[in-house]
Amino acid sequence: MNQEKTTEKPVILCVDNDVKSINFLHEKLKSKFSDQYLYEIVSSGEDALKRMEEHNKKNDRIILVISDQNIPDISGDKLLAKIHASYSKPIKILITSQASLQSVVNAINNADLYRYLPKPWETEDLLLTVQKAIEQYHLREETQKHLSSFRRFVPPQLANYLGKEDILQVKLGDCVQQEMNILLCDIHAFTSLSEKMTPQENFRFINNYLKYVEPAVK
């Protein structure tokens, strides 16, 4: 099966069945951010979910979803909650004049809503919100990269040993007392072996060795 080609530009998905409103939004976004992004426009929740799935299959970066509350087949808050359940990375913005307080609360609690904007919206306010939302996306992405790098050197099990849910909750001085078993191993003739290898070869040798003994230690 041939995989579809990945879209080079990050994607901003806009959902609204009001043609005049959605075209005006597209015009303002393109005027502000030019061709940095691919602007997708759909008129219903079903179309939005299909488009999300299509982009996900191509491993596209969907960075932002802007939805009106009053759209066919599903309300905006429920659509954003569905999107968040399957695709948690995109930032979500809800725009409407008809959303109840409960709908906004639902979007905040279940869709990780970034911001709610009343309709009709102020153009400058909307564009600033979109700009800050994009910055928030990149900040989250950068933080996740740093966290992934950090976890390569600090095992996540350490947090469990200290009674924490995540390694980021560990503070200086946190400690527990436990009984432990320690395995001491000596690699036969390792000194003479290591002297014949480069530092990189030594590094690979030790890592390959640990792949065998680590399961036994666990």
Side-chain angles (χ1 to χ4, degrees), residues 144-160:
Q144 188 58 46
K145 286 180 182 178
H146 288 308
L147 185 57
S148 297
S149 297
F150 178 70
R151 283 173 173 160
R152 289 171 57 196
F153 300 96
V154 180
Q157 294 92 330
L158 178 62
N160 296 331

Side-chain angles (χ1 to χ4, degrees), residues 174-193:
D174 285 346
C175 61
V176 293
Q177 183 173 333
Q178 294 185 3
E179 290 187 5
M180 302 182 69
N181 294 324
I182 298 176
L183 174 65
L184 299 177
C185 293
D186 181 34
I187 301 175
H188 180 66
F190 178 68
T191 300
S192 58
L193 284 172

Side-chain angles (χ1 to χ4, degrees), residues 59-77:
N59 292 318
D60 291 339
R61 292 172 61 212
I62 308 166
I63 65 173
L64 179 62
V65 179
I66 305 172
S67 177
D68 186 72
Q69 174 69 4
N70 187 30
I71 54 176
D73 61 50
I74 186 174
S75 60
D77 61 308

Side-chain angles (χ1 to χ4, degrees), residues 20-37:
K20 183 177 179 181
S21 178
I22 199 71
N23 287 339
F24 187 66
L25 174 60
H26 176 253
E27 176 189 329
K28 293 302 178 184
L29 289 175
K30 195 160 187 179
S31 175
K32 172 69 175 179
F33 303 104
S34 63
D35 293 325
Q36 297 179 62
Y37 307 102

Side-chain angles (χ1 to χ4, degrees), residues 53 55 146-147 217-218:
E53 185 178 357
H55 282 296
H146 288 308
L147 185 57
V217 172
K218 285 183 177 180

